[in-house]
Structure formats: structure tokens, C-alpha cells
Amino acid sequence: MTETPTASARVTALYLHPLKSAAGIRVQEITLDERGAVGDRRWVLADANGAMITARETHQLVLIHPSFLSDDRNGGIRLTAPGLSPLTVPIEAIDRAAPTQLVRVWDDDVVAHDAGNAAAAWCTAAASRACRLMRLADEDRRPLASRFAGSIDAQSRYVAMSDGAPLLLLGLASIDALNARLIDSGYADVMDPRRFRANVLLSGMPPHDEDTWRDIRIGSLNLSVGSACTRCVLTTVDPDSAESGHEPLRTFAQYRRANGGVIFGMNTTHREAGVIRVGDEVQVVSLR
């Protein structure tokens, strides 16, 4: 185990995904609260049974583009989608005095507020299926699973509506290595980093170096790297067209197999509230 922090990489890009499975927003900094990145996966579409709807089965969700209505990213959102007038949902328009509802996000029931009938009608048209737009309630306490926490004690730690950890971390060199394999196999297109929906993209280290990390420091913020992210069909969906194919899962299967699936990117949890900025140095404090 490495005892002394060593400079390893820098933050190259940061992304927030306000509406789960919709397009991301590239930002210059992210603020981390008790759940994760403020504004990240705080909204979700739900079906009539209260289950989350994602782009795994409803690919056109990637064509919905959100933006924030307030600088603190805790307020309402604006959504755009092809063929529709924009939808604006101010936080004041959500009746937070009304009874909350439960939305099933993987194995968890999260407490959420319904954004109303107008928002539901717009999202139904955008997704081409009946759905409701839901916002994570302030009082929700979805537990963080220990496998995502690394060396951090997951007790009394929470997460928003991400698939796993508060953050997903990925090295650009890992994407470059994938694209080199695709080119060698004759595949015409390269994979855009947006397909992998990471919050933190890093440069300055070898491919898959992030797989070996345990505890890290980004700027002045301490984090721990948990389990690798198991990748699904969503990586095969083009973020600009919503069309899907076989790649990159077919190529991943040749060299990134683990635990019955393929892995790419690392689930990461912050030890304390703070800010990550583009350009921040990453120090590796300990290895697996």
C-alpha cells in the first residue's frame, strides 16, 4: 500500500446529470454535499408503478437536455427535447406540501415529489411512453452500499439516484485504449466520453490506472475508490442520435470482463463535503 500521496493525474472534465439517463452538463466545478454532486441525479422519470425509467430501455432519454434554473443547482430545471417546446419546472411549482411518493431506483425506494401534470405530459411526449417527472425529496435517506464506499464507513452515508456511488471516475487514457482497439478491429467510429456518464474525467495517467486506486485526494478533497462500474447496454447508445449498436460492449468483453460482466470506470465516494474543479491535481494516497 502506498503511504505517501503521489501526484498521478488531473481533472480534465466534470459532468452533472440532473435528470437520470438524460444528457449531461459539462461544468467547471462540482460541489459535493451529503449525497454527492449537487444537482446530479436529483430528478428521475417514473412509470405508473413508481419504477424508474432509464435510457437502457428508453433510448430517447439521452436526447433530453437539462439545464439548471439557479446557480446553486438545487432549484428547478429546464428540459429541451427534439420537436418540443422547452419545459421549465421552477422549484416553486412543485407542491412540496403534497404527499411524497416512492420511486423504485434499483433495490431502493426513494422519497420524491411529483413535478405535476404539465411536466408529466411533456416528459411523456419526450420519452414516447407514459411517465411522471419526480424530484428527490430533501428528507430522503437512500443508503450508500458499502461496496461503493471503498475504505469509507458507509454507515449513515447517503446517495441520490445514481446507479451506485456518489461519483463515477474515469481516465481519458482508458477511453483512448478502448478506441484504439475499436480502430484496430475496423470499427469506424470512436466512443465519445459522454457514453460512459462519468462525473470526473482524468488525464495524465496510464490506461486503467484508476482500477488500482483505493484512497485519493482531488485538490483538497479526500475520496475513496470503491467497486468498478459494471457497464450495460446504455454505453451502446449514441448520445447524439439515440441509436444503439453492439459497441463498446462487444470489445469490452474481450479485455474488461469481471464478476460476470464488463467493467469500466470506478465508483467513488467523498469523505467530506467540498468542491472539485477542472484542473485539480489528483494524488493517490493508497492502492488496492
Side-chain angles (χ1 to χ4, degrees), residues 73-84:
R73 301 169 180 166
N74 259 326
I77 57 171
R78 182 177 186 266
L79 302 177
T80 63
L84 297 175

Side-chain angles (χ1 to χ4, degrees), residues 45-123:
L45 298 183
D47 66 17
N49 297 315
M52 68 174 182
I53 296 172
T54 76
R56 292 168 178 83
E57 72 280 357
T58 306
H59 296 342
Q60 56 264 49
L61 264 61
V62 302
L63 303 181
I64 299 175
H65 285 259
S67 57
F68 297 109
L69 297 184
S70 63
D71 291 339
D72 65 7
R73 301 169 180 166
N74 259 326
I77 57 171
R78 182 177 186 266
L79 302 177
T80 63
L84 297 175
S85 298
L87 170 72
T88 301
V89 187
I91 198 67
E92 297 80 13
I94 298 178
D95 185 1
R96 287 185 281 180
T100 56
Q101 300 179 35
L102 295 179
V103 178
R104 193 70 174 169
V105 177
W106 296 112
D107 295 327
D108 300 311
D109 289 321
V110 303
V111 182
H113 296 283
D114 193 303
N117 290 334
W122 189 95
C123 292

Side-chain angles (χ1 to χ4, degrees), residues 208-235:
H208 311 298
D209 199 42
E210 62 271 25
D211 295 2
T212 68
W213 299 349
R214 184 63 166 179
D215 294 296
I216 63 173
R217 189 172 298 140
I218 301 180
S220 61
L221 192 68
N222 296 295
L223 309 97
S224 191
V225 181
S227 60
C229 181
T230 302
R231 307 318 302 229
C232 69
V233 69
L234 185 50
T235 61

